[in-house]
Amino acid sequence: MSDTPSILQPTDHPAPMPLVTRFHLLIFSVTLSITAVALFRIPADFLFQAHWHATNADWLWPRGIALSVAPAIQAVLLIAFFLLGRALTKNHFAKTQHILDPALSFFLAVPAVYQLGLLFIGIGSDLDIIRGEGYILGAALGFIGLVLFYAERHSYGGLRLPWPIRSDRGWFLAHRLTGLATSLVGLLTIWMAWTDPGPAILALSYASALILLPTIAAIVSLAVHRV
């Protein structure tokens, strides 16, 4: 037997627990329940006014297509986070779980509330949940942006990405730029909800905001890491 230590240390094994928890599955189940109620209450030939120009709708969503968007997005998120959790090492899992867990909950909650908004539209309610969600989402992103902007370096705080930000200056720049971008996206989301271009455009803007921000964080942190 060789005395050379193994390349694979204990912390290199996959994480023992997945990132997807019962709470995340509960949110998904709630969305499916809302979808079932909507299919029962909304006529099969109902068309959602997905986008309007001036006072006329120029984009219509059939009931089946509109109601399939939110569950499909959630299913993709659950699969992606499950695979991510299995790919992380024990050490990295321990350092990122407290951030990735609520992040997944947040990502799943957005389409769940949107689905509830479609249900209210389909039954003829005047309560515009989808626009209200935009205000809440924008405010949440603005708050997260401020937290990132003023965050101090900490082993378990700030951006948690596969690559480390080694220098204090790089960590400072990454969080300032990411925090500023997050706050700006939050303000843009609020503006989109205020102008109300239609449920479909709002859905695309919400999804774009949630996809864009991790992308910006990854690009900025990777750039300062390499520098």
Side-chain angles (χ1 to χ4, degrees):
M1 295 292 292
S2 173
D3 293 333
T4 303
S6 174
I7 296 177
L8 292 178
Q9 300 298 331
T11 56
D12 292 322
H13 295 307
M17 295 179 60
L19 285 172
V20 178
T21 65
R22 292 181 179 178
F23 180 72
H24 301 136
L25 296 178
L26 175 62
I27 298 176
F28 183 55
S29 299
V30 169
T31 304
L32 293 179
S33 299
I34 295 173
T35 304
V37 173
L39 292 173
F40 178 75
R41 293 290 306 275
I42 302 174
D45 59 350
F46 184 86
L47 296 175
F48 288 92
Q49 298 181 358
H51 177 265
W52 39 75
H53 179 71
T55 58
N56 299 318
D58 57 0
W59 182 9
L60 300 176
W61 257 359
R63 184 197 67 169
I65 295 177
L67 295 177
S68 65
V69 173
I73 292 175
Q74 288 183 329
V76 171
L77 286 171
L78 290 172
I79 294 173
F81 272 75
F82 176 81
L83 295 176
L84 176 61
R86 301 302 300 175
L88 294 175
T89 64
K90 290 183 179 180
N91 184 45
H92 204 180
F93 182 87
K95 290 184 177 181
T96 58
Q97 183 186 13
H98 68 289
I99 292 179
L100 294 178
D101 191 316
L104 178 57
S105 300
F106 182 69
F107 290 165
L108 292 173
V110 172
V113 175
Y114 184 87
Q115 194 78 336
L116 182 62
L118 289 180
L119 172 60
F120 273 65
I121 292 175
I123 62 178
S125 174
D126 293 330
L127 182 60
D128 198 339
I129 294 179
I130 295 179
R131 289 184 67 194
E133 179 183 21
Y135 294 126
I136 297 174
L137 176 60
L141 293 177
F143 175 76
I144 294 173
L146 289 175
V147 171
L148 290 174
F149 190 86
Y150 291 106
E152 297 181 359
R153 184 154 193 169
H154 191 275
S155 299
Y156 290 90
L159 300 175
R160 311 306 306 176
L161 297 163
W163 46 86
I165 305 176
R166 302 189 184 282
S167 68
D168 291 339
R169 183 173 181 272
W171 200 93
F172 175 83
L173 288 176
H175 283 73
R176 283 296 172 94
L177 293 175
T178 303
L180 181 61
T182 303
S183 296
L184 291 177
V185 171
L187 291 175
L188 180 60
T189 302
I190 293 175
W191 179 80
M192 290 291 294
W194 174 262
T195 56
D196 189 18
I201 303 300
L202 288 178
L204 292 174
S205 65
Y206 299 164
S208 298
L210 296 178
I211 294 173
L212 180 63
L213 293 176
T215 304
I216 292 175
I219 293 174
V220 171
S221 62
L222 185 59
V224 298
H225 168 69
R226 290 184 174 180
V227 172

